[in-house]
Amino acid sequence: MSLYVKWPDANECQISSNIFGNRSRGFQGVIDAIDGCHVPCKQLIRNPHYYNRKRFHSIILQGVCDHRGKFIDCFIGLPGRMHDARVFRQSPLFENMSNAKLRFIPRQLYLIGDSAYPLMINLMTPYKDNGHLTVSQIRYNTKLSCIRSRIERSFALLKGKFRKLKYLDISDFDLGNKMIAAACTLHNFIIDGDNLNIDDEDYLEEQNLHEIEQEEEEVQEAVQKRIYYILQISYNY
């Protein structure tokens, strides 16, 4: 795994930053996207911690992917009930990012995540919608959501390619963690061999791709609707 799932060097970070910047038309300095993914698993007797908020038992995979959809960092094995922010704070990635002396990520570069993650110098998150966001804040959230979907596509591709991750019917969770790690490693191995393109929809399950696209369309529609009402209210006022 260490050969294929590894943090990018300075040159690779700059390439990701340039590509993410072009895709977002404004976000400069983005090198990777982070999120958590639930891998359904068998219920452990007398262990409720794996029963998550989505009402099934799961093992959490925290993944960070680059512009190609490759996993450059994986943290595997915490129970499904745990919140994404808590998983992140227990991961080696958080420890490295919090160490000022280490300078794990240059200050001008950063990851992007959803609102479950803490805002940090090297981790940008959306504004929390309290009903009073400005137009600029809404646009920021929309652009961030569009490029953050890269990690969602990576997870969809991972589960679509390695269907064992749809449900781990095993009692040995150490083995389960190794199976998840193996899938992430093979995912990168295939991408490195140019045999898999995350932007090629044929590799994604139709249901997962449809859900992602539908979610993005709903966000765009809601943002436009909110902007319209903000402008109407301002005009009438």
Side-chain angles (χ1 to χ4, degrees):
M1 188 176 186
S2 61
L3 293 176
Y4 288 96
V5 181
K6 55 185 178 182
W7 199 258
D9 59 26
N11 183 56
E12 292 169 332
C13 284
Q14 191 57 54
I15 292 174
S16 281
S17 175
N18 293 340
I19 293 175
F20 274 121
N22 291 334
R23 287 174 177 169
S24 66
R25 298 181 181 179
F27 270 87
Q28 302 298 325
V30 178
I31 55 173
D32 307 293
I34 183 173
D35 202 0
C37 173
H38 290 268
V39 179
C41 64
K42 189 175 182 179
Q43 178 181 356
L44 284 182
I45 299 176
R46 298 178 182 176
N47 191 334
H49 299 294
Y50 287 86
Y51 191 71
N52 61 41
R53 60 183 175 81
K54 299 179 181 180
R55 298 184 177 181
F56 62 88
H57 294 79
S58 64
I59 298 172
I60 295 179
L61 160 63
Q62 176 184 278
V64 182
C65 79
D66 64 8
H67 64 280
R68 296 178 63 196
K70 282 182 55 179
F71 292 108
I72 59 155
D73 185 84
C74 293
F75 182 54
I76 305 165
L78 291 184
R81 180 171 291 188
M82 197 170 291
H83 190 270
D84 282 349
R86 189 178 174 190
V87 174
F88 174 61
R89 292 185 184 278
Q90 292 194 27
S91 69
L93 177 62
F94 175 77
E95 184 176 345
N96 289 335
M97 291 174 62
S98 301
N99 190 337
K101 295 181 180 180
L102 189 59
R103 296 183 181 179
F104 186 68
I105 303 176
R107 292 182 68 86
Q108 73 274 16
L109 302 178
Y110 53 91
L111 312 180
I112 52 173
D114 60 23
S115 57
Y117 292 93
L119 181 65
M120 301 172 63
I121 292 295
N122 296 125
L123 176 57
M124 292 291 103
T125 59
Y127 288 97
K128 292 187 178 181
D129 188 2
N130 55 7
H132 302 285
L133 295 181
T134 65
V135 174
S136 296
Q137 290 172 332
I138 294 171
R139 289 173 181 167
Y140 166 91
N141 282 0
T142 303
K143 286 189 175 184
L144 187 144
S145 177
C146 288
I147 56 176
R148 197 188 62 80
S149 65
R150 175 69 35 172
I151 184 66
E152 301 289 351
R153 294 176 68 86
S154 295
F155 286 142
L157 180 59
L158 181 73
K159 288 187 174 182
K161 197 71 175 174
F162 304 100
R163 294 174 180 266
K164 187 67 176 177
L165 300 186
K166 290 291 186 179
Y167 180 71
L168 294 177
D169 188 13
I170 55 176
S171 299
D172 185 351
F173 274 27
D174 287 336
L175 175 60
N177 294 343
K178 291 178 181 178
M179 293 170 68
I180 298 171
C184 294
T185 303
L186 290 170
H187 170 94
N188 284 6
F189 175 80
I190 297 172
I191 291 179
D192 282 343
D194 291 327
N195 294 317
L196 192 62
N197 186 348
I198 193 172
D199 293 315
D200 189 344
E201 298 178 1
D202 292 340
Y203 286 102
L204 290 171
E205 291 189 12
E206 291 184 4
Q207 181 178 2
N208 286 331
L209 179 63
H210 176 70
E211 289 175 355
I212 293 170
E213 290 179 342
Q214 185 178 34
E215 181 180 349
E216 291 177 352
E217 289 175 1
E218 290 176 354
V219 169
Q220 292 286 350
E221 183 180 353
V223 167
Q224 294 301 323
K225 184 176 181 180
R226 187 159 56 183
I227 292 175
Y228 170 79
Y229 282 115
I230 289 174
L231 293 176
Q232 287 295 314
I233 292 172
S234 299
Y235 176 78
N236 292 331
Y237 183 79

